[in-house]
């Protein structure tokens, strides 16, 4: 398998549930990103991991918890979410220093009920 | 801080015709990269074209080309011979060069409709 793979594709969860989003890249990249895409809003950068270390956390609420166990995998752990957290969550990867842009996954459509 | 502005929330074009999507940006850096991404209904963001700011020549990829005006900080995308498969949300993005990691700053996007 190549590129960036995100699972699940769709997720419906209650406000008291705990779930995780998974992202896997097979490109040998050394940086990974989580973005939130809401209707009629710009893409919001949530977290950046470079060489498996978190280098950016853009004031994201603590109910979102990222994890990067190695350079190929990135998780977003979710708990006690709010309905306004419903959105498309996109994962991306890149090779730092080469400026060829990101490679994106197809996203997880999250609905919080 | 970097900003990217796409002033056209929606555009439409007839199949086989040409359409231009606008993008302006602001950055204090002299060396940076600009991108256009396409997001079809399948949701995956796909890189369409990339421009290096230090290159004066406009980038071209088949039917896609850009008009890069560095002094005006403008980076428009021209799609020639539009096809139904070009219908998508298009995002303009900017990143500075160098550094151990970098961030892409995105515009809000332009929804392109292609009419048969």
């Amino acid at each position: 398998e190549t590129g960036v793979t995100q699972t699940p594709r769709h997720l419906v969860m209650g406000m008291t549930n705990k779930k995780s989003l998974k992202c896997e890249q097979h490109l040998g990249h050394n940086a990974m990103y989580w973005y939130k895409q809401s209707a009629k809003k710009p893409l919001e950068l949530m977290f950046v991991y470079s060489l498996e270390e978190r280098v950016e956390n853009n004031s994201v609420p603590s109910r979102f918890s990222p994890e990067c166990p190695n350079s190929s995998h990135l998780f977003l752990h979710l708990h006690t979410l709010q309905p306004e957290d419903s959105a498309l969550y996109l994962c991306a990867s890149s090779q730092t220093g080469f400026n060829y842009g990101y490679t994106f996954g197809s996203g997880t459509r999250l609905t919080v009920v | 801080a970097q900003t990217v502005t796409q002033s056209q929330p929606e555009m439409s074009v007839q199949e086989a015709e040409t359409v231009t999507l606008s993008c302006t940006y602001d950055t204090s850096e002299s060396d940076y990269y600009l991108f256009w991404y396409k997001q079809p209904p399948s949701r995956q963001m796909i890189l369409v074209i990339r421009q290096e700011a230090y290159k004066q020549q406009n980038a071209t990829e088949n039917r896609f080309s850009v008009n890069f005006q560095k002094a005006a900080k403008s980076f428009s995308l021209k799609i020639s011979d539009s096809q139904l498969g070009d219908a998508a949300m298009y995002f303009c993005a900017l990143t500075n060069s160098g550094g151990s990691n970098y961030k892409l700053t995105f515009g809000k996007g332009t929804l392109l409709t292609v009419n048969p």
Side-chain angles (χ1 to χ4, degrees), chain A residues 33-100:
Chain A
Y33 311 80
W34 279 116
Y35 276 86
K36 177 182 179 182
Q37 187 177 25
S38 305
K40 310 222 183 271
K41 293 174 78 173
L43 280 137
E44 301 172 54
L45 178 63
M46 300 176 73
F47 300 104
V48 180
Y49 275 83
S50 178
L51 298 172
E52 299 159 44
E53 288 190 23
R54 189 192 311 181
V55 295
E56 184 141 345
N57 174 349
N58 276 347
S59 303
V60 179
S62 60
R63 57 186 183 269
F64 294 92
S65 175
E67 179 190 1
C68 187
N70 55 61
S71 59
S72 299
H73 294 85
L74 184 65
F75 295 89
L76 188 62
H77 303 300
L78 317 170
H79 65 95
T80 324
L81 293 192
Q82 304 298 311
E84 60 265 29
D85 297 322
S86 298
L88 180 66
Y89 289 85
L90 291 166
C91 174
S93 70
S94 71
Q95 185 64 25
T96 58
F98 285 87
N99 293 303
Y100 288 116

Side-chain angles (χ1 to χ4, degrees), chain A residues 9-10 33 35 37 42-43 45 48 50 55-56 88 94-96 98-102 104-107 109, chain B residues 33 35 37 39 41-47 50 91 95-108:
Chain A
R9 190 161 171 82
H10 301 273
Y33 311 80
Y35 276 86
Q37 187 177 25
L43 280 137
L45 178 63
V48 180
S50 178
V55 295
E56 184 141 345
L88 180 66
S94 71
Q95 185 64 25
T96 58
F98 285 87
N99 293 303
Y100 288 116
Y102 295 174
F104 283 87
S106 296
R109 173 72 65 191
Chain B
Y33 293 78
F35 305 85
Y37 280 87
Q39 187 179 36
S42 65
R43 306 179 333 203
Q44 185 168 20
M45 299 268 276
I46 302 164
L47 180 63
R50 169 181 175 267
F91 293 93
T95 185
N96 295 328
S97 64
S100 59
N101 67 284
Y102 63 94
K103 297 187 300 182
L104 276 177
T105 300
F106 287 89
K108 290 186 178 182

